[in-house]
Amino acid sequence: MTEARQRGLEILTGYPADVVAVAAVGHVERSDYEELLIPAVTERIRAEGKVKLLYLIGPHFKGFTTGAAWDDAKLGFLHMGDFARVAVVTDIEWIRLGVRLTAPLMACPVRVFHLAETATARDWICGDEPPDRGGGPAVDVEQKLPLTEDFMAPKP
């Protein structure tokens, strides 16, 4: 007899109807996206139009499978125009860097928060005010990634 696997993602409750809040807890697998997160996002988009996503990746997170990472990227790209804003809350540096690298591709404001800023992330994701473009952890989606040619020495 095999023991049932505990889900790697949990949908968090207590958020407005236009917010999908999820926590990564344990090993996140493709089935967590396909059976839980993707249907939740799709249903909220259908009901609310644009949605806001809060993704909490805390100390109980153990990693992503390749399939989960692919589904994460696919979710972002397929619904790029359906997100009103995205907040990622984590202290894991490689995830923070990855979010910052991909944020300019998103059509909505994306912010990265530390775990100690979870309440601030919740306030921001639940808010209706226009996103600030000032300093802080926000990523301005109007910034463009420099092309490789920008780093090359001019030809003589």
Side-chain angles (χ1 to χ4, degrees), residues 54-58 87-91 112-115 117-118 121:
L54 173 71
Y55 205 138
L56 176 65
I57 305 169
V88 177
V89 183
T90 189
D91 288 338
V112 180
F113 297 87
H114 285 282
L115 290 173
E117 302 171 301
T118 300

Side-chain angles (χ1 to χ4, degrees), residues 24-86:
V25 290
H27 292 282
V28 179
E29 298 182 5
R30 168 173 262 159
S31 63
D32 295 314
Y33 275 83
E34 293 176 351
E35 297 169 13
L36 187 70
L37 186 56
I38 292 171
V41 168
T42 303
E43 184 275 324
R44 295 282 176 87
I45 290 168
R46 192 174 304 121
E48 301 294 326
K50 288 192 179 262
V51 297
K52 301 171 189 170
L53 177 66
L54 173 71
Y55 205 138
L56 176 65
I57 305 169
H60 300 293
F61 171 71
K62 302 295 182 211
F64 289 106
T65 64
T66 305
W70 175 251
D71 276 354
D72 183 79
K74 201 165 66 172
L75 176 68
F77 286 117
L78 290 177
H79 293 289
M80 192 176 294
D82 296 323
F83 290 105
R85 58 177 67 181
V86 174

